[in-house]
Amino acid sequence: MLRRGFQAAVILGHHGTLPGATHLLPRFNPASAFGSSMESLVSRFCQEMKKSKNYALPNASWGPDMLSLYHEFLEKTKTNGWVRVPSFRSNRDHIQGFKLPLDLSANSDKSDWRLFTRCIEREGQGYEYVIFFQPSEKKSICLFQPGPYLEGVPGFVHGGSLAALIDETFSKTAYLSGEGLLTVNFNIRFKNLIPLGSLAVLNVNVEKIEDQKMYLSCVTQSRDQQTVYAKASGTFLQMHLEEDSSRQ
Amino acid sequence: MLRSCTAGLRSIWALRGRREGAPRLSMDLQPARRLFSTEKVIHKDWALPNPSWSKDLKLLFDQFMKKCEDGSWERLPSYKRTSTQESEDFKTYFLDPKLVEEERLSQAQLFTRGFEDGLGFEYVIFKNNDEKRTVCLFQGGPYLQGVPGLLHGGAMATMIDIALGSCTGGAVMTANLNINFKRPVPLCSVVVINSQLDKLEGRKLFLSCNVRSVDEKTLYSEATGLFIKLDPEKSST
C-alpha cells in the first residue's frame, strides 16, 4: 500500500543540526513525499492490536468529569468523524510492519521499554488520558486526569509532566495529520496550576505545514474553559516510515 | 530533625485543599502500593549512585564530587517529597480552605523520583555558587521512551525544567520554557545539562541551558526558560 518510487528516509545522523530543505537526500521529492493519505495513516495507526493493551479506555480511576467528557467524544466518533486514538505501552505497537529511518533505529527497541506517558501502570496513579482526533480539521482533544505520581508543587501537577503529555498529544496529532514524527521545537507558557485528580482538556490544532515541518498549537484548560492552565506550541519534522519488508 | 520534617509535611497535607469546583476523585481507589512508606526512605537522597547508573554516569559523578572537595561546587540532594521549607512557602501561596483528600495526597510524590532504580529519571545536579550555574547529569531509563529507541521529548522537557529550576532559589514557578531539539537522544544514554541564570529582573529569572553528550561532541538541545519568584505579599489566585 505504501510502496512508493522514492526513498524518503531522512537520516539525521549525518547532519550536525536538524536538516532544513537543503539537507534532504537528493532523491527526496517533497511534492509526492507525504502522499500517504490521512485515511490510510489513521486506519493503520489506530487499529486495535490484539496483543497489546489499549490504555485509552475508561478504568475505575476515572472521575465523573473524565468519564462524561469521554462519552461525549465517543458519541462524536460515531456521528462526526472523530477518531479515538488507541494508546499502547510502546509506540512500537502503532508502527508494526514499518521501520524507522536508519539512524533512529540504531538502538534496538527492547520489550520492556515504555512510552513515557504510559510508564506508570497503576490505574489512577500517573497519566490517565485519551486522545480523540478529528481528521477533517487536523485537530485533537486530549482528556487528561493526572494522578498523585505526577506531583510537582504539592497538590498540583508537575509542569514537566504536563509538557510531556502536550508533546505526546502533539506527536500523535502530527503523525496522523501528515507523518510528523520528531519534535524540533517545543514552547510552553504555564498560566495556572492543575490540581492533581482534576480533569484538564488539551485542545491541539495543526496551524501550518510547510517545508517538511508541522506547526501545532495547544491550549490546556479546565472543562468549562474558565481556567487556562497552559498554552504551548510545537514544531515537528515530517518523516516517512518505510515498510519493513524483512518483517513480512 | 527528620521527625519534625515529617510532622510538618503531614500537617501541610491536612491543610492544603483543592481549587473551587475541582471534582472529587473516587474514594474507592486502593491506595497505591507504598514502596517507600518509612520515614527513613521518604528522606532518602536520590541524587546518589545506584546499581542502575552506567559507567559514564558514575565517572562523571566522581569527577564532580572531586570538584566539590574544595567547596567551589556542591552536590544538590534530591528527595521524593518537597522539603518542609519549600512546602511552607507554597502553603502560604496556595492554601485553599477546602477539605483535602488526605489519603489521595499522601500518595503523591515528586514526579521524577517515582520510578524504581534505573527505569525512569536517574539524575544528580551539581551547583557552582560563584558562577551561578549548575550541571545536571541525566540518564533517561527505559520508561521514558517516545519514538522507539529514543528519549521522549517530554521527558527531556521535564529534565530541562528541573535543571533550569536548580539555578534559582526560594519559592519559584516555571512561567515559560522554550526548547529547540537538535538531535534525538538515544534511550538509556547519559547527557549533561549545563544551565545558568542569564538575567534577573525584579521577580523574573531568565535562564538558559544546553544539553550535550558526555564527550561534549553532540549538542542535543538548547533551551531558555522564564521562572518567577513568588511574592509573599500576593495570593496566587
Side-chain angles (χ1 to χ4, degrees):
Chain A
M1 169 175 79
L2 287 167
R3 293 204 183 283
R4 305 276 172 187
F6 61 94
Q7 305 293 320
V10 177
I11 297 175
L12 292 180
H14 294 139
H15 305 288
T17 57
L18 272 166
T22 52
H23 290 119
L24 297 175
L25 293 177
R27 283 163 299 188
F28 186 86
N29 179 356
S32 62
F34 302 107
S36 304
S37 71
M38 216 188 308
E39 251 179 56
S40 66
L41 273 177
V42 171
S43 69
R44 186 208 332 152
F45 198 84
C46 295
Q47 53 182 310
E48 295 281 337
M49 298 286 161
K50 286 180 211 149
K51 289 182 201 167
S52 313
K53 177 177 166 179
N54 181 0
Y55 288 87
L57 294 169
N59 61 57
S61 74
W62 287 26
D65 266 356
M66 177 89 166
L67 280 169
S68 69
L69 199 53
Y70 170 80
H71 285 294
E72 237 181 76
F73 276 93
L74 206 57
E75 275 310 301
K76 296 193 199 196
T77 62
K78 298 172 189 155
T79 53
N80 284 43
W82 283 81
V83 174
R84 185 189 54 189
V85 182
S87 180
F88 308 115
R89 188 187 290 186
S90 167
N91 276 332
R92 172 65 71 188
D93 293 324
H94 286 287
I95 58 170
Q96 287 191 16
F98 291 84
K99 57 187 178 190
L100 292 166
L102 294 169
D103 268 41
L104 294 189
S105 52
N107 255 1
S108 61
D109 180 17
K110 307 199 173 95
S111 59
D112 60 340
W113 290 9
R114 289 191 192 176
L115 174 59
F116 182 36
T117 49
R118 290 298 179 199
C119 61
I120 298 166
E121 284 267 29
R122 188 88 190 212
E123 281 178 6
Q125 298 306 303
Y127 288 99
E128 289 297 339
Y129 70 95
V130 56
I131 300 172
F132 289 91
F133 175 66
Q134 173 55 275
S136 63
E137 294 173 62
K138 289 194 174 59
K139 72 181 215 179
S140 302
I141 293 255
C142 174
L143 313 181
F144 174 38
Q145 182 184 291
Y149 282 13
L150 303 189
E151 182 176 83
V153 168
F156 298 91
V157 177
H158 192 286
S161 72
L162 174 64
L165 186 60
I166 293 175
D167 181 45
E168 182 55 27
T169 310
F170 274 163
S171 159
K172 294 293 183 286
T173 311
Y175 189 76
L176 293 171
S177 301
E179 298 185 284
L181 196 70
L182 290 184
T183 321
V184 175
N185 173 272
F186 183 84
N187 180 289
I188 184 166
R189 284 89 65 203
F190 296 101
K191 308 284 181 194
N192 282 291
L193 296 174
I194 305 175
L196 292 175
S198 64
L199 173 68
V201 182
L202 284 61
N203 287 280
V204 169
N205 284 281
V206 175
E207 303 289 343
K208 184 170 73 165
I209 302 180
E210 197 177 80
D211 288 341
Q212 219 187 341
K213 295 210 200 95
M214 302 183 73
Y215 298 83
L216 301 99
S217 65
C218 174
V219 178
T220 305
Q221 51 198 356
S222 56
R223 183 181 184 169
D224 60 12
Q225 304 185 351
Q226 294 300 302
T227 313
V228 174
Y229 294 121
K231 292 190 180 178
S233 51
T235 310
F236 279 70
L237 190 68
Q238 290 179 298
M239 298 174 82
H240 182 66
L241 300 187
E242 295 286 307
E243 265 186 81
D244 192 347
S245 48
S246 64
R247 285 188 180 196
Q248 286 163 2
Chain B
M1 184 189 113
L2 286 179
R3 282 200 184 280
S4 64
C5 279
T6 316
L9 281 172
R10 282 216 196 92
S11 61
I12 284 159
W13 303 144
L15 285 168
R16 255 185 309 108
R18 281 172 300 126
R19 291 263 177 80
E20 188 86 41
R24 298 192 80 83
L25 190 63
S26 161
M27 287 302 281
D28 295 332
L29 285 181
Q30 293 285 338
R33 180 169 63 99
R34 294 279 292 265
L35 295 175
F36 306 107
S37 54
T38 63
E39 272 182 40
K40 200 163 80 174
V41 185
I42 284 173
H43 297 284
K44 172 179 164 177
D45 180 353
W46 291 84
L48 290 167
N50 65 58
S52 75
W53 283 30
S54 66
K55 255 197 317 214
D56 273 348
L57 186 55
K58 283 194 271 222
L59 216 77
L60 274 172
F61 177 81
D62 290 337
Q63 281 172 19
F64 275 91
M65 286 307 283
K66 268 212 138 53
K67 296 195 206 203
C68 292
E69 282 167 15
D70 66 3
S72 58
W73 288 81
E74 66 171 304
R75 183 190 65 88
L76 300 184
S78 177
Y79 305 108
K80 260 187 190 287
R81 302 279 184 86
T82 323
S83 76
T84 310
Q85 183 52 55
E86 287 168 23
S87 294
E88 287 289 339
D89 288 342
F90 284 119
K91 178 181 128 194
T92 312
Y93 305 121
F94 299 108
L95 191 58
D96 185 319
K98 283 214 180 296
L99 273 177
V100 73
E101 289 174 46
E102 187 171 348
E103 189 186 336
R104 171 171 62 84
L105 287 168
S106 68
Q107 298 159 23
Q109 54 190 4
L110 182 61
F111 178 43
T112 49
R113 291 299 183 196
F115 297 81
E116 283 176 38
D117 281 356
L119 293 180
F121 297 89
E122 290 298 334
Y123 63 98
V124 55
I125 303 177
F126 291 89
K127 188 163 191 167
N128 183 318
N129 287 307
D130 296 326
E131 298 170 29
K132 291 216 177 352
R133 65 186 183 93
T134 63
V135 173
C136 172
L137 311 176
F138 167 50
Q139 176 183 298
Y143 282 16
L144 306 189
Q145 181 167 244
V147 167
L150 303 177
L151 181 70
H152 196 285
M156 190 74 255
T158 302
M159 279 314 302
I160 285 173
D161 182 35
I162 288 180
L164 292 178
S166 69
C167 292
T168 67
V172 294
M173 274 188 50
T174 319
N176 298 350
L177 281 179
N178 188 58
I179 305 169
N180 287 314
F181 295 97
K182 310 268 185 199
R183 303 283 300 274
V185 178
L187 201 57
C188 301
S189 65
V190 179
V191 298
V192 180
I193 310 174
N194 297 285
S195 315
Q196 61 185 36
L197 176 66
D198 290 326
K199 191 167 63 168
L200 181 59
E201 256 177 31
R203 290 191 296 126
K204 292 189 192 171
L205 297 117
F206 295 86
L207 306 115
S208 63
C209 72
N210 56 62
V211 183
R212 292 179 188 275
S213 55
V214 170
D215 63 9
E216 294 184 356
K217 290 188 181 155
T218 311
L219 175 65
Y220 289 114
S221 49
E222 287 178 322
T224 57
L226 170 64
F227 283 62
I228 311 284
K229 270 193 201 278
L230 296 173
D231 187 345
E233 303 293 305
K234 294 187 185 165
S235 83
S236 65
T237 46

